[in-house]
Structures are given as structure tokens and as C-alpha cells.
Short mmCIF file of all heavy atoms in Angstrom, two decimals:
data_model
loop_
_atom_site.label_atom_id
_atom_site.label_comp_id
_atom_site.label_asym_id
_atom_site.label_seq_id
_atom_site.Cartn_x
_atom_site.Cartn_y
_atom_site.Cartn_z
N MET A 858 -7.05 -11.61 96.58
CA MET A 858 -7.13 -11.17 97.96
C MET A 858 -5.75 -10.72 98.40
O MET A 858 -4.75 -11.32 98.04
CB MET A 858 -7.63 -12.32 98.83
CG MET A 858 -7.28 -12.17 100.26
SD MET A 858 -8.51 -12.05 101.58
CE MET A 858 -10.06 -11.72 100.94
N GLN A 859 -5.71 -9.65 99.16
CA GLN A 859 -4.47 -9.14 99.71
C GLN A 859 -4.56 -9.12 101.23
O GLN A 859 -5.63 -8.93 101.80
CB GLN A 859 -4.17 -7.75 99.21
CG GLN A 859 -3.55 -7.72 97.84
CD GLN A 859 -2.73 -6.45 97.66
OE1 GLN A 859 -3.16 -5.38 98.01
NE2 GLN A 859 -1.55 -6.62 97.10
N ILE A 860 -3.41 -9.33 101.85
CA ILE A 860 -3.30 -9.27 103.30
C ILE A 860 -3.12 -7.82 103.71
O ILE A 860 -2.43 -7.06 103.04
CB ILE A 860 -2.08 -10.10 103.77
CG1 ILE A 860 -2.17 -11.54 103.27
CG2 ILE A 860 -1.93 -10.04 105.29
CD1 ILE A 860 -3.40 -12.31 103.69
N ASN A 861 -3.75 -7.44 104.83
CA ASN A 861 -3.53 -6.11 105.39
C ASN A 861 -3.31 -6.24 106.89
O ASN A 861 -3.60 -7.28 107.49
CB ASN A 861 -4.66 -5.14 105.04
CG ASN A 861 -5.96 -5.50 105.69
OD1 ASN A 861 -6.08 -5.48 106.92
ND2 ASN A 861 -6.96 -5.86 104.87
N LYS A 862 -2.81 -5.19 107.49
CA LYS A 862 -2.41 -5.24 108.90
C LYS A 862 -3.57 -5.38 109.87
O LYS A 862 -3.38 -5.74 111.02
CB LYS A 862 -1.58 -4.01 109.25
CG LYS A 862 -2.34 -2.70 109.17
CD LYS A 862 -1.43 -1.54 109.46
CE LYS A 862 -2.21 -0.23 109.38
NZ LYS A 862 -1.33 0.90 109.68
N ASP A 863 -4.78 -5.14 109.41
CA ASP A 863 -5.96 -5.23 110.28
C ASP A 863 -6.57 -6.64 110.30
O ASP A 863 -7.48 -6.90 111.08
CB ASP A 863 -7.02 -4.23 109.84
CG ASP A 863 -6.52 -2.79 109.96
OD1 ASP A 863 -5.87 -2.47 110.98
OD2 ASP A 863 -6.78 -2.01 109.05
N MET A 864 -6.05 -7.52 109.47
CA MET A 864 -6.61 -8.88 109.40
C MET A 864 -6.19 -9.69 110.62
O MET A 864 -5.11 -9.50 111.18
CB MET A 864 -6.14 -9.58 108.13
CG MET A 864 -6.67 -8.93 106.88
SD MET A 864 -6.03 -9.69 105.38
CE MET A 864 -7.32 -10.89 105.11
N ILE A 865 -7.07 -10.60 111.01
CA ILE A 865 -6.81 -11.51 112.12
C ILE A 865 -5.86 -12.60 111.63
O ILE A 865 -5.99 -13.10 110.50
CB ILE A 865 -8.13 -12.12 112.63
CG1 ILE A 865 -9.12 -11.02 113.03
CG2 ILE A 865 -7.88 -13.10 113.77
CD1 ILE A 865 -8.67 -10.11 114.14
N ILE A 866 -4.91 -13.00 112.47
CA ILE A 866 -3.91 -13.99 112.07
C ILE A 866 -4.57 -15.29 111.62
O ILE A 866 -4.19 -15.86 110.60
CB ILE A 866 -2.92 -14.23 113.22
CG1 ILE A 866 -2.12 -12.95 113.47
CG2 ILE A 866 -1.98 -15.40 112.89
CD1 ILE A 866 -1.26 -12.99 114.69
N GLY A 867 -5.57 -15.74 112.36
CA GLY A 867 -6.27 -16.96 111.97
C GLY A 867 -6.89 -16.86 110.58
O GLY A 867 -6.89 -17.82 109.81
N GLU A 868 -7.40 -15.69 110.25
CA GLU A 868 -7.98 -15.45 108.92
C GLU A 868 -6.91 -15.53 107.84
O GLU A 868 -7.12 -16.10 106.77
CB GLU A 868 -8.64 -14.07 108.92
CG GLU A 868 -9.22 -13.65 107.60
CD GLU A 868 -9.74 -12.21 107.62
OE1 GLU A 868 -9.60 -11.50 108.64
OE2 GLU A 868 -10.30 -11.81 106.59
N ILE A 869 -5.75 -14.96 108.13
CA ILE A 869 -4.64 -14.99 107.17
C ILE A 869 -4.24 -16.44 106.87
O ILE A 869 -4.04 -16.81 105.72
CB ILE A 869 -3.44 -14.18 107.71
CG1 ILE A 869 -3.82 -12.69 107.78
CG2 ILE A 869 -2.19 -14.41 106.86
CD1 ILE A 869 -2.83 -11.84 108.53
N ILE A 870 -4.16 -17.25 107.89
CA ILE A 870 -3.78 -18.66 107.72
C ILE A 870 -4.84 -19.39 106.91
O ILE A 870 -4.51 -20.23 106.07
CB ILE A 870 -3.57 -19.33 109.08
CG1 ILE A 870 -2.37 -18.69 109.79
CG2 ILE A 870 -3.38 -20.83 108.94
CD1 ILE A 870 -2.23 -19.06 111.24
N ARG A 871 -6.11 -19.08 107.14
CA ARG A 871 -7.19 -19.73 106.38
C ARG A 871 -7.17 -19.31 104.91
O ARG A 871 -7.55 -20.08 104.03
CB ARG A 871 -8.55 -19.43 107.00
CG ARG A 871 -8.81 -20.24 108.27
CD ARG A 871 -10.24 -20.10 108.76
NE ARG A 871 -10.58 -18.74 109.18
CZ ARG A 871 -10.31 -18.22 110.37
NH1 ARG A 871 -9.66 -18.93 111.25
NH2 ARG A 871 -10.68 -16.99 110.67
N ILE A 872 -6.73 -18.11 104.62
CA ILE A 872 -6.66 -17.64 103.24
C ILE A 872 -5.69 -18.49 102.43
O ILE A 872 -5.98 -18.90 101.32
CB ILE A 872 -6.26 -16.15 103.18
CG1 ILE A 872 -7.44 -15.31 103.66
CG2 ILE A 872 -5.83 -15.74 101.78
CD1 ILE A 872 -7.11 -13.84 103.87
N ASP A 873 -4.52 -18.76 103.01
CA ASP A 873 -3.52 -19.56 102.30
C ASP A 873 -2.51 -20.11 103.29
O ASP A 873 -1.78 -19.33 103.92
CB ASP A 873 -2.81 -18.71 101.25
CG ASP A 873 -2.01 -19.54 100.27
OD1 ASP A 873 -1.37 -20.51 100.70
OD2 ASP A 873 -2.01 -19.20 99.08
N SER A 874 -2.46 -21.41 103.42
CA SER A 874 -1.55 -22.03 104.39
C SER A 874 -0.08 -21.86 104.01
O SER A 874 0.80 -22.06 104.85
CB SER A 874 -1.89 -23.52 104.57
OG SER A 874 -1.72 -24.20 103.34
N SER A 875 0.20 -21.45 102.77
CA SER A 875 1.60 -21.22 102.39
C SER A 875 2.18 -19.99 103.09
O SER A 875 3.39 -19.74 103.02
CB SER A 875 1.74 -21.07 100.87
OG SER A 875 1.27 -19.81 100.43
N LEU A 876 1.33 -19.23 103.79
CA LEU A 876 1.79 -18.06 104.52
C LEU A 876 2.34 -18.42 105.90
O LEU A 876 3.05 -17.63 106.52
CB LEU A 876 0.66 -17.04 104.66
CG LEU A 876 0.07 -16.54 103.34
CD1 LEU A 876 -1.12 -15.64 103.60
CD2 LEU A 876 1.12 -15.83 102.52
N VAL A 877 2.04 -19.62 106.37
CA VAL A 877 2.48 -20.05 107.70
C VAL A 877 4.00 -19.97 107.87
O VAL A 877 4.47 -19.42 108.87
CB VAL A 877 1.94 -21.46 108.03
CG1 VAL A 877 2.60 -22.03 109.29
CG2 VAL A 877 0.43 -21.42 108.20
N PRO A 878 4.81 -20.50 106.94
CA PRO A 878 6.27 -20.40 107.13
C PRO A 878 6.78 -18.97 107.26
O PRO A 878 7.72 -18.71 108.01
CB PRO A 878 6.84 -21.07 105.88
CG PRO A 878 5.76 -21.99 105.41
CD PRO A 878 4.48 -21.28 105.75
N ILE A 879 6.16 -18.03 106.57
CA ILE A 879 6.58 -16.62 106.68
C ILE A 879 6.29 -16.10 108.08
O ILE A 879 7.12 -15.42 108.68
CB ILE A 879 5.88 -15.76 105.60
CG1 ILE A 879 6.34 -16.20 104.22
CG2 ILE A 879 6.15 -14.27 105.82
CD1 ILE A 879 5.57 -15.60 103.09
N LEU A 880 5.12 -16.43 108.59
CA LEU A 880 4.78 -16.01 109.95
C LEU A 880 5.71 -16.65 110.97
O LEU A 880 6.18 -15.99 111.90
CB LEU A 880 3.32 -16.34 110.25
CG LEU A 880 2.29 -15.56 109.43
CD1 LEU A 880 0.90 -16.18 109.59
CD2 LEU A 880 2.28 -14.09 109.80
N LEU A 881 6.00 -17.93 110.80
CA LEU A 881 6.92 -18.62 111.71
C LEU A 881 8.32 -18.02 111.64
O LEU A 881 8.96 -17.80 112.67
CB LEU A 881 6.95 -20.12 111.40
CG LEU A 881 5.68 -20.90 111.71
CD1 LEU A 881 5.79 -22.33 111.20
CD2 LEU A 881 5.37 -20.88 113.20
N ASP A 882 8.79 -17.77 110.42
CA ASP A 882 10.12 -17.16 110.25
C ASP A 882 10.19 -15.78 110.90
O ASP A 882 11.26 -15.35 111.32
CB ASP A 882 10.50 -17.05 108.78
CG ASP A 882 10.85 -18.38 108.15
OD1 ASP A 882 11.09 -19.36 108.90
OD2 ASP A 882 10.90 -18.45 106.91
N ALA A 883 9.06 -15.10 110.95
CA ALA A 883 9.01 -13.77 111.56
C ALA A 883 9.00 -13.84 113.09
O ALA A 883 9.08 -12.82 113.76
CB ALA A 883 7.78 -13.02 111.06
N GLY A 884 8.88 -15.06 113.63
CA GLY A 884 8.89 -15.22 115.08
C GLY A 884 7.54 -15.44 115.71
O GLY A 884 7.42 -15.48 116.93
N MET A 885 6.52 -15.61 114.90
CA MET A 885 5.17 -15.86 115.43
C MET A 885 4.96 -17.37 115.52
O MET A 885 4.42 -17.99 114.62
CB MET A 885 4.13 -15.21 114.53
CG MET A 885 4.19 -13.74 114.55
SD MET A 885 2.83 -13.01 113.63
CE MET A 885 3.31 -11.29 113.73
N HIS A 886 5.40 -17.92 116.65
CA HIS A 886 5.35 -19.37 116.83
C HIS A 886 4.08 -19.84 117.52
O HIS A 886 3.92 -21.04 117.74
CB HIS A 886 6.58 -19.83 117.61
CG HIS A 886 7.85 -19.52 116.90
ND1 HIS A 886 8.36 -20.32 115.92
CD2 HIS A 886 8.69 -18.45 117.00
CE1 HIS A 886 9.47 -19.79 115.45
NE2 HIS A 886 9.70 -18.65 116.08
N CYS A 887 3.18 -18.94 117.82
CA CYS A 887 1.95 -19.33 118.52
C CYS A 887 0.74 -19.24 117.59
O CYS A 887 -0.32 -18.76 117.97
CB CYS A 887 1.75 -18.48 119.76
SG CYS A 887 1.67 -16.71 119.42
N LEU A 888 0.90 -19.69 116.36
CA LEU A 888 -0.17 -19.57 115.37
C LEU A 888 -1.41 -20.38 115.74
O LEU A 888 -2.50 -20.05 115.32
CB LEU A 888 0.34 -19.99 113.99
CG LEU A 888 1.48 -19.15 113.43
CD1 LEU A 888 1.91 -19.70 112.08
CD2 LEU A 888 1.08 -17.69 113.32
N GLY A 889 -1.24 -21.42 116.53
CA GLY A 889 -2.38 -22.24 116.92
C GLY A 889 -3.01 -21.82 118.23
O GLY A 889 -4.01 -22.39 118.64
N CYS A 890 -2.44 -20.83 118.89
CA CYS A 890 -2.99 -20.43 120.19
C CYS A 890 -4.27 -19.61 120.00
O CYS A 890 -4.49 -19.03 118.93
CB CYS A 890 -1.95 -19.67 121.00
SG CYS A 890 -1.60 -18.01 120.41
N PRO A 891 -5.10 -19.58 121.02
CA PRO A 891 -6.38 -18.86 120.89
C PRO A 891 -6.24 -17.39 120.50
O PRO A 891 -7.09 -16.85 119.81
CB PRO A 891 -7.00 -18.99 122.29
CG PRO A 891 -6.38 -20.22 122.85
CD PRO A 891 -4.98 -20.27 122.28
N SER A 892 -5.17 -16.73 120.92
CA SER A 892 -5.04 -15.31 120.60
C SER A 892 -4.90 -15.09 119.10
O SER A 892 -5.26 -14.04 118.59
CB SER A 892 -3.86 -14.68 121.34
OG SER A 892 -2.65 -15.23 120.92
N SER A 893 -4.38 -16.09 118.38
CA SER A 893 -4.24 -15.92 116.93
C SER A 893 -5.58 -15.86 116.22
O SER A 893 -5.66 -15.40 115.09
CB SER A 893 -3.39 -17.05 116.33
OG SER A 893 -4.11 -18.26 116.30
N GLN A 894 -6.61 -16.30 116.89
CA GLN A 894 -7.95 -16.25 116.31
C GLN A 894 -8.64 -14.92 116.58
O GLN A 894 -9.71 -14.65 116.03
CB GLN A 894 -8.81 -17.40 116.87
CG GLN A 894 -8.23 -18.77 116.61
CD GLN A 894 -7.98 -19.04 115.13
OE1 GLN A 894 -8.83 -18.79 114.29
NE2 GLN A 894 -6.80 -19.52 114.81
N MET A 895 -8.02 -14.09 117.44
CA MET A 895 -8.64 -12.81 117.79
C MET A 895 -7.71 -11.63 117.61
O MET A 895 -8.14 -10.49 117.68
CB MET A 895 -9.10 -12.86 119.25
CG MET A 895 -10.11 -13.94 119.52
SD MET A 895 -10.63 -14.00 121.25
CE MET A 895 -9.11 -14.38 122.08
N GLU A 896 -6.43 -11.87 117.38
CA GLU A 896 -5.44 -10.80 117.34
C GLU A 896 -5.15 -10.39 115.91
O GLU A 896 -4.93 -11.23 115.04
CB GLU A 896 -4.16 -11.32 118.01
CG GLU A 896 -3.12 -10.29 118.27
CD GLU A 896 -1.97 -10.86 119.09
OE1 GLU A 896 -1.47 -11.95 118.78
OE2 GLU A 896 -1.57 -10.18 120.04
N SER A 897 -5.12 -9.09 115.67
CA SER A 897 -4.79 -8.61 114.33
C SER A 897 -3.30 -8.77 114.08
O SER A 897 -2.50 -8.89 115.01
CB SER A 897 -5.18 -7.13 114.17
OG SER A 897 -4.28 -6.31 114.90
N LEU A 898 -2.94 -8.77 112.82
CA LEU A 898 -1.53 -8.87 112.45
C LEU A 898 -0.76 -7.69 113.05
O LEU A 898 0.35 -7.86 113.56
CB LEU A 898 -1.38 -8.91 110.93
CG LEU A 898 0.02 -9.15 110.39
CD1 LEU A 898 0.58 -10.48 110.87
CD2 LEU A 898 0.01 -9.10 108.87
N GLU A 899 -1.35 -6.52 113.01
CA GLU A 899 -0.70 -5.34 113.56
C GLU A 899 -0.45 -5.49 115.06
O GLU A 899 0.64 -5.19 115.55
CB GLU A 899 -1.54 -4.09 113.29
CG GLU A 899 -0.88 -2.81 113.77
CD GLU A 899 -1.65 -1.57 113.36
OE1 GLU A 899 -2.90 -1.62 113.31
OE2 GLU A 899 -0.99 -0.57 113.07
N ASP A 900 -1.44 -6.00 115.79
CA ASP A 900 -1.28 -6.20 117.23
C ASP A 900 -0.19 -7.24 117.52
O ASP A 900 0.63 -7.05 118.42
CB ASP A 900 -2.60 -6.66 117.87
CG ASP A 900 -3.63 -5.55 117.91
OD1 ASP A 900 -3.26 -4.36 117.80
OD2 ASP A 900 -4.83 -5.88 118.04
N ALA A 901 -0.18 -8.32 116.76
CA ALA A 901 0.82 -9.37 116.96
C ALA A 901 2.22 -8.83 116.68
O ALA A 901 3.17 -9.14 117.41
CB ALA A 901 0.52 -10.56 116.07
N CYS A 902 2.35 -8.03 115.64
CA CYS A 902 3.66 -7.44 115.32
C CYS A 902 4.12 -6.51 116.42
O CYS A 902 5.31 -6.47 116.76
CB CYS A 902 3.60 -6.72 113.98
SG CYS A 902 3.62 -7.83 112.57
N MET A 903 3.20 -5.76 116.99
CA MET A 903 3.55 -4.85 118.06
C MET A 903 4.07 -5.64 119.27
O MET A 903 5.09 -5.30 119.86
CB MET A 903 2.34 -4.00 118.46
CG MET A 903 2.65 -2.92 119.45
SD MET A 903 1.30 -1.74 119.74
CE MET A 903 -0.14 -2.77 119.77
N VAL A 904 3.39 -6.73 119.61
CA VAL A 904 3.79 -7.57 120.74
C VAL A 904 5.17 -8.18 120.50
O VAL A 904 5.98 -8.28 121.41
CB VAL A 904 2.73 -8.68 120.99
CG1 VAL A 904 3.26 -9.73 121.95
CG2 VAL A 904 1.44 -8.06 121.51
N HIS A 905 5.42 -8.59 119.26
CA HIS A 905 6.68 -9.27 118.92
C HIS A 905 7.77 -8.30 118.46
O HIS A 905 8.86 -8.74 118.09
CB HIS A 905 6.43 -10.33 117.84
CG HIS A 905 5.62 -11.48 118.32
ND1 HIS A 905 6.15 -12.50 119.08
CD2 HIS A 905 4.31 -11.79 118.17
CE1 HIS A 905 5.21 -13.38 119.36
NE2 HIS A 905 4.08 -12.97 118.82
N GLY A 906 7.49 -7.00 118.44
CA GLY A 906 8.49 -6.02 118.06
C GLY A 906 8.88 -6.08 116.59
O GLY A 906 10.04 -5.92 116.24
N MET A 907 7.88 -6.30 115.73
CA MET A 907 8.13 -6.42 114.29
C MET A 907 7.53 -5.25 113.53
O MET A 907 6.59 -4.62 113.99
CB MET A 907 7.48 -7.69 113.75
CG MET A 907 8.01 -8.95 114.30
SD MET A 907 7.02 -10.29 113.63
CE MET A 907 7.21 -11.46 114.94
N ASP A 908 8.06 -5.03 112.33
CA ASP A 908 7.53 -4.03 111.42
C ASP A 908 6.37 -4.66 110.65
O ASP A 908 6.57 -5.52 109.79
CB ASP A 908 8.62 -3.57 110.46
CG ASP A 908 8.15 -2.51 109.48
OD1 ASP A 908 6.92 -2.35 109.28
OD2 ASP A 908 9.02 -1.83 108.91
N VAL A 909 5.15 -4.25 110.95
CA VAL A 909 3.97 -4.84 110.33
C VAL A 909 3.94 -4.61 108.83
O VAL A 909 3.53 -5.48 108.07
CB VAL A 909 2.66 -4.35 111.00
CG1 VAL A 909 2.42 -2.89 110.73
CG2 VAL A 909 1.47 -5.18 110.55
N ASN A 910 4.41 -3.45 108.39
CA ASN A 910 4.37 -3.17 106.95
C ASN A 910 5.30 -4.08 106.16
O ASN A 910 4.94 -4.54 105.08
CB ASN A 910 4.71 -1.69 106.69
CG ASN A 910 3.66 -0.78 107.29
OD1 ASN A 910 2.46 -1.00 107.16
ND2 ASN A 910 4.10 0.25 107.97
N LEU A 911 6.46 -4.38 106.72
CA LEU A 911 7.39 -5.30 106.07
C LEU A 911 6.79 -6.70 106.00
O LEU A 911 6.88 -7.38 104.97
CB LEU A 911 8.72 -5.31 106.81
CG LEU A 911 9.80 -6.22 106.25
CD1 LEU A 911 10.17 -5.84 104.83
CD2 LEU A 911 11.03 -6.18 107.15
N LEU A 912 6.16 -7.13 107.08
CA LEU A 912 5.56 -8.46 107.10
C LEU A 912 4.40 -8.55 106.11
O LEU A 912 4.26 -9.55 105.40
CB LEU A 912 5.10 -8.82 108.52
CG LEU A 912 4.59 -10.24 108.71
CD1 LEU A 912 5.59 -11.29 108.24
CD2 LEU A 912 4.21 -10.47 110.17
N VAL A 913 3.58 -7.51 106.03
CA VAL A 913 2.48 -7.48 105.06
C VAL A 913 3.03 -7.60 103.64
O VAL A 913 2.48 -8.34 102.82
CB VAL A 913 1.62 -6.21 105.24
CG1 VAL A 913 0.69 -6.00 104.05
CG2 VAL A 913 0.81 -6.29 106.52
N GLU A 914 4.12 -6.90 103.36
CA GLU A 914 4.74 -6.99 102.03
C GLU A 914 5.18 -8.42 101.72
O GLU A 914 4.95 -8.92 100.62
CB GLU A 914 5.95 -6.06 101.95
CG GLU A 914 5.61 -4.61 101.83
CD GLU A 914 6.85 -3.73 101.80
OE1 GLU A 914 7.93 -4.21 101.38
OE2 GLU A 914 6.74 -2.56 102.20
N LYS A 915 5.81 -9.07 102.68
CA LYS A 915 6.28 -10.45 102.48
C LYS A 915 5.10 -11.40 102.25
O LYS A 915 5.15 -12.27 101.39
CB LYS A 915 7.10 -10.92 103.68
CG LYS A 915 8.44 -10.28 103.78
CD LYS A 915 9.20 -10.79 104.99
CE LYS A 915 10.54 -10.13 105.13
NZ LYS A 915 11.27 -10.62 106.32
N LEU A 916 4.05 -11.24 103.04
CA LEU A 916 2.88 -12.11 102.91
C LEU A 916 2.21 -11.92 101.54
O LEU A 916 1.85 -12.90 100.88
CB LEU A 916 1.88 -11.84 104.04
CG LEU A 916 2.36 -12.23 105.43
CD1 LEU A 916 1.44 -11.65 106.49
CD2 LEU A 916 2.49 -13.74 105.58
N ASN A 917 2.05 -10.68 101.12
CA ASN A 917 1.42 -10.42 99.83
C ASN A 917 2.30 -10.88 98.67
O ASN A 917 1.78 -11.34 97.65
CB ASN A 917 1.05 -8.94 99.70
CG ASN A 917 -0.21 -8.63 100.50
OD1 ASN A 917 -1.16 -9.41 100.52
ND2 ASN A 917 -0.21 -7.49 101.15
N ALA A 918 3.61 -10.78 98.81
CA ALA A 918 4.52 -11.28 97.77
C ALA A 918 4.36 -12.80 97.63
O ALA A 918 4.35 -13.34 96.52
CB ALA A 918 5.96 -10.92 98.10
N GLN A 919 4.21 -13.49 98.75
CA GLN A 919 4.01 -14.94 98.71
C GLN A 919 2.68 -15.28 98.03
O GLN A 919 2.61 -16.19 97.20
CB GLN A 919 4.05 -15.53 100.12
CG GLN A 919 3.67 -16.99 100.22
CD GLN A 919 4.65 -17.92 99.54
OE1 GLN A 919 5.79 -17.54 99.23
NE2 GLN A 919 4.24 -19.14 99.29
N LEU A 920 1.63 -14.57 98.38
CA LEU A 920 0.33 -14.80 97.74
C LEU A 920 0.43 -14.60 96.23
O LEU A 920 -0.11 -15.39 95.46
CB LEU A 920 -0.74 -13.87 98.31
CG LEU A 920 -1.34 -14.25 99.63
CD1 LEU A 920 -2.35 -13.18 100.06
CD2 LEU A 920 -1.99 -15.61 99.58
N LEU A 921 1.11 -13.56 95.83
CA LEU A 921 1.26 -13.26 94.41
C LEU A 921 2.04 -14.38 93.71
O LEU A 921 1.67 -14.82 92.62
CB LEU A 921 1.97 -11.92 94.23
CG LEU A 921 2.10 -11.42 92.80
CD1 LEU A 921 0.73 -11.22 92.18
CD2 LEU A 921 2.88 -10.12 92.77
N ALA A 922 3.09 -14.87 94.34
CA ALA A 922 3.91 -15.93 93.75
C ALA A 922 3.13 -17.24 93.64
O ALA A 922 3.23 -17.93 92.63
CB ALA A 922 5.16 -16.15 94.60
N VAL A 923 2.35 -17.56 94.65
CA VAL A 923 1.60 -18.82 94.65
C VAL A 923 0.43 -18.78 93.67
O VAL A 923 0.11 -19.77 93.03
CB VAL A 923 1.09 -19.14 96.07
CG1 VAL A 923 0.10 -20.28 96.08
CG2 VAL A 923 2.27 -19.44 96.99
N HIS A 924 -0.20 -17.63 93.53
CA HIS A 924 -1.42 -17.54 92.73
C HIS A 924 -1.21 -16.85 91.39
O HIS A 924 -2.17 -16.45 90.75
CB HIS A 924 -2.51 -16.84 93.54
CG HIS A 924 -2.88 -17.57 94.77
ND1 HIS A 924 -3.66 -18.70 94.77
CD2 HIS A 924 -2.53 -17.38 96.07
CE1 HIS A 924 -3.80 -19.15 96.01
NE2 HIS A 924 -3.12 -18.36 96.81
N ALA A 925 0.04 -16.72 90.98
CA ALA A 925 0.33 -16.07 89.69
C ALA A 925 0.16 -17.04 88.55
O ALA A 925 0.23 -18.19 88.63
CB ALA A 925 1.74 -15.50 89.71
#
């Protein structure tokens, strides 16, 4: 499975909890709030002023490292 910018943040966390520290390091400290269950990664990055493509790369690199 790969992460993409259209995925909901809550879904990303359910895929692999090892992704949480990357999201937190990126400044997304509201992972438990209700909006994380409805907001896409792209929307969250836009709100937080982040590059969604860079974050997607980091998340997928972590998935690859954990599941290799």
C-alpha cells in the first residue's frame, strides 16, 4: 500500500501507526481531532502551509522501510 495526497489522515494512521511521528514532525499535532477523520492529507498540508508531495514521499519511504 502507498500513501497518496487524497487519503484521509485517519486512514493513513490506521494503515501504519509508525507514520504518526512523521506527521507530528511535519507540524500536524491534531491527529486525534475530528477533522483528521475527514480531511485529506492534501487539505491538511494546505492549511499547515506544507508541501504535500514532500510529505507523501516521507510517509511512503517510512512504509517501505518498515515493511521491507
